[in-house]
């Protein structure tokens, strides 16, 4: 059996769907299933059982002998949440307990870290262990992910294989429920549908033009391909960046969305909200050399190709993967 936490969420549900496509139906889906807005993400999946996240560790202790792999994606991901206790419980304590149990039971584990650990990028975006202790995330979410990374690197008792994945800006199907935290692509699509234009953030720095803030956008289909590679090949246990390796600006993203919808380009610039202005990343770009060095050689979707697939095959028609 393969355990997937966060299985009702965005990336988790896509991972489960991809595993179904590859013939893996003996899945244990873990999440808070009381949130009805997530139901369409998993209702059509093939799985063995659903387990509430609050009782999962009890289930795991009783059934671990049947588990062959754990994909731990469940987390509080709201970058505007500032109550540290929420992150301590759902992100730090939960992941550290998961790692410890996988080490005890000798079960391979992949867990979600985040590019938010890199803060404003002053130390670059290199997934080297040497920088982990020095990183200064800009918000409690990023800090929670970095605290886990630091803790794991100090553990002497480990699963037979583990990988922490520093997700960059993931976008794609099954993120309808995410609200404010959904990707800029889905927000752009909704704005174009409703108003015929897209609102992008002005720059509050002299070295970036309005809308030219840059991020490493990675399509969720590439993310699940990397996850499957790690599950099946189990290369060197490590923390790996997971982005496209190429930063692109929000203006390019908006243009790609207009073009995918067949609409004329119409962009308006607005101020970055005060509550996130001093915590806003202006540039991210994953150094992908480490993942390539362990044998992952597949090409990643370009921004234009990923946006086109997402818009035309999913957002138009409100379809799920």
């Amino acid at each position: 059996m393969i355990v997937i936490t966060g299985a009702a969420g965005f990336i988790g549900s896509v991972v489960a769907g991809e595993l179904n496509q590859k013939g893996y139906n003996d899945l244990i889906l873990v999440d808070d299933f009381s949130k009805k807005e997530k139901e369409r993400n998993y209702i059509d999946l093939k799985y063995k059982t659903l387990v509430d996240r609050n009782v999962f560790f009890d289930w795991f202790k009783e059934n671990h002998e049947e588990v062959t792999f754990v994909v731990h994606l469940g987390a509080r991901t709201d970058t505007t949440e500032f109550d540290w206790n929420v992150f301590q419980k759902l992100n730090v304590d939960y992941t550290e307990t998961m790692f410890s149990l996988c080490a005890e039971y000798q079960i391979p584990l992949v867990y979600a870290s985040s590019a938010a650990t890199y803060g404003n990028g002053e130390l670059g975006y290199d997934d080297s262990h040497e920088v982990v202790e020095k990183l200064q995330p800009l918000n409690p979410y990023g800090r929670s992910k970095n605290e886990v990374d630091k803790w794991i690197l100090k553990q002497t008792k480990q699963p037979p294989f583990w990988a922490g994945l520093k997700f960059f800006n993931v976008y794609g199907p099954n993120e309808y429920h995410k609200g404010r935290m959904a990707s800029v692509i889905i927000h752009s699509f909704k704005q174009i549908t409703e108003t015929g234009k897209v609102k992008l953030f002005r720059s509050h720095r002299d070295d970036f033009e309005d809308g030219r803030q840059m991020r490493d956008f990675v399509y969720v289909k590439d993310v699940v391909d990397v996850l499957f590679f790690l599950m099946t090949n189990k290369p060197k246990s490590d923390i790996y960046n997971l982005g496209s390796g190429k930063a692109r600006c929000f203006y390019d993203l908006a243009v790609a969305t207009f073009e995918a919808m067949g609409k004329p380009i119409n962009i308006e610039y607005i101020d970055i909200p005060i509550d996130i202005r001093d915590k806003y990343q202006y540039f991210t770009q994953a150094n992908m050399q480490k993942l390539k060095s362990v044998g992952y050689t597949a090409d990643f979707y370009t921004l234009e190709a990923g946006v086109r697939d997402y818009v035309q095959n999913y957002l138009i028609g409100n379809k799920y993967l």
Side-chain angles (χ1 to χ4, degrees), residues 215-259:
R215 298 287 178 85
D216 189 328
F217 299 102
V218 58
Y219 198 26
V220 71
K221 291 184 179 181
D222 286 324
V223 169
V224 299
D225 285 347
V226 171
L227 271 163
F228 191 72
F229 166 82
L230 294 172
M231 290 174 64
T232 53
N233 290 273
K234 300 183 183 66
K236 179 178 179 288
S237 293
D238 215 326
I239 295 173
Y240 295 94
N241 278 341
L242 184 40
S244 69
K246 184 174 178 59
R248 298 291 301 275
C249 68
F250 287 101
Y251 177 85
D252 291 342
L253 181 153
V255 168
T257 307
F258 278 111
E259 291 180 344

Side-chain angles (χ1 to χ4, degrees), residues 301-321:
Y301 277 80
T302 64
L303 179 64
E304 286 77 11
V307 169
R308 183 167 56 251
D309 183 64
Y310 183 22
V311 168
Q312 296 180 354
N313 295 319
Y314 301 97
L315 291 179
I316 295 175
N318 200 44
K319 298 173 185 175
Y320 287 72
L321 187 63

Side-chain angles (χ1 to χ4, degrees), residues 46-282:
K46 298 174 184 175
Y47 54 86
K48 185 177 180 65
T49 191
L50 303 179
V51 181
D52 185 273
R53 71 184 183 197
N54 293 316
V55 299
F56 169 70
F57 291 130
D58 291 333
W59 180 95
F60 198 22
K61 291 170 185 177
E62 294 177 3
N63 297 276
H64 64 86
E65 291 182 354
E66 298 179 66
V67 176
T68 57
F69 206 101
V70 174
V71 181
H72 176 44
L73 303 174
R76 182 62 177 267
T77 59
D78 189 345
T79 57
T80 63
E81 169 67 70
F82 291 98
D83 183 350
W84 175 250
N85 292 326
V86 172
F87 292 108
Q88 181 70 48
K89 176 183 178 182
L90 296 179
N91 294 6
V92 180
D93 293 346
Y94 206 99
T95 306
E96 291 179 1
T97 300
M98 184 73 78
F99 187 93
S100 296
L101 289 175
C102 285
E104 179 181 348
Y105 303 143
Q106 286 296 284
I107 297 171
L109 166 72
V110 170
Y111 73 92
S113 182
S114 172
T117 58
Y118 290 117
N120 64 12
E122 61 201 7
L123 297 177
Y125 298 93
D126 189 342
D127 47 8
S128 166
H129 294 181
E130 285 67 37
V131 302
V132 173
E133 289 284 348
K134 303 173 186 177
L135 294 174
Q136 298 292 325
L138 298 176
N139 51 50
Y141 165 69
R143 176 189 162 198
S144 73
K145 292 297 188 177
N146 201 53
E147 289 299 313
V148 170
D149 290 343
K150 291 193 293 185
W151 180 86
I152 283 176
L153 290 176
K154 295 174 183 175
Q155 300 311 300
T156 55
K157 187 174 182 180
Q158 302 181 346
F161 166 76
W162 63 268
L165 297 178
K166 293 200 178 197
F167 294 123
F168 278 68
N169 284 67
V170 186
Y171 67 94
N174 296 19
E175 61 169 334
Y176 297 107
H177 65 280
K178 294 189 66 172
R180 186 180 180 184
M181 291 298 107
S183 73
V184 179
I185 294 94
I186 192 170
H187 288 301
S188 297
F189 176 83
K190 290 178 179 178
Q191 289 174 23
I192 295 168
T193 300
E194 294 169 3
T195 69
K197 64 184 177 182
V198 165
K199 294 180 179 180
L200 295 180
F201 286 150
R202 291 191 180 94
S203 172
H204 297 272
R205 284 173 44 173
D206 294 336
D207 52 340
F208 284 85
E209 296 179 14
D210 293 345
R212 263 63 176 188
Q213 303 94 327
M214 303 184 77
R215 298 287 178 85
D216 189 328
F217 299 102
V218 58
Y219 198 26
V220 71
K221 291 184 179 181
D222 286 324
V223 169
V224 299
D225 285 347
V226 171
L227 271 163
F228 191 72
F229 166 82
L230 294 172
M231 290 174 64
T232 53
N233 290 273
K234 300 183 183 66
K236 179 178 179 288
S237 293
D238 215 326
I239 295 173
Y240 295 94
N241 278 341
L242 184 40
S244 69
K246 184 174 178 59
R248 298 291 301 275
C249 68
F250 287 101
Y251 177 85
D252 291 342
L253 181 153
V255 168
T257 307
F258 278 111
E259 291 180 344
M261 297 176 70
K263 302 286 187 179
I265 298 168
N266 184 3
I267 297 173
E268 175 185 333
Y269 295 99
I270 61 173
D271 287 338
I272 297 175
I274 294 293
D275 64 335
I276 63 171
R277 192 174 298 178
D278 63 344
K279 301 171 180 65
Y280 186 80
Q281 292 174 306
Y282 274 71

